[in-house]
Amino acid sequence: MGRLTSICHDLRMGALNAAATRVAGGATVTFRPSGSSMVPLIRSRQQVVVAPVDPTKVTVGDIVLARVAGTVYLHVVSSVDPARRRVQTTPPDRPEAPAVPPRAPGPGPDASPGAT
């Protein structure tokens, strides 16, 4: 990874971290993530809205803002274990990602709920 690419990556990750911190504090946050790991559900630079949510309401197929090993990602919930209070997330470009029905046409889906 070149220096400029590394700096851009760090800035994006900093923005997601800031969004996750604000959502964890109770705020609803709108931003435009970049990258292709969420295509076709969310395109690069498509506006998304994340908001706090009751963790018991998260279901398979929801798009969440999640902190994984200290790094924040937008991911699709691939499994929920209520007994252990755990949620498994997977980017949709992975084979183990759940099938998510296509969304209605429009300006683009909101990525919500925003669990962290």
Side-chain angles (χ1 to χ4, degrees):
M1 184 181 313
R3 186 173 191 290
L4 181 58
T5 302
S6 177
I7 290 169
C8 289
H9 178 265
D10 291 346
L11 289 173
R12 285 193 307 269
M13 292 300 109
L16 283 178
N17 190 46
T21 299
R22 291 185 58 211
V23 171
T28 296
V29 179
T30 302
F31 63 100
R32 294 180 181 275
S34 60
S36 61
S37 70
M38 288 297 291
V39 171
L41 303 176
I42 300 172
R43 295 173 307 280
S44 186
R45 305 292 302 146
Q46 178 178 339
Q47 181 174 304
V48 298
V49 177
V50 292
V53 64
D54 177 347
T56 64
K57 306 275 189 221
V58 175
T59 61
V60 171
D62 285 347
I63 298 172
V64 297
L65 190 61
R67 190 178 310 275
V68 180
T71 302
V72 178
Y73 302 94
L74 272 175
H75 276 301
V76 176
V77 174
S78 57
S79 69
V80 177
D81 183 349
R84 293 179 57 204
R85 296 177 48 151
R86 303 209 32 116
V87 172
Q88 174 81 28
T89 62
T90 309
D93 60 352
R94 302 279 168 80
E96 66 274 18
V100 178
R103 300 184 189 263
D110 290 344
S112 197
T116 58

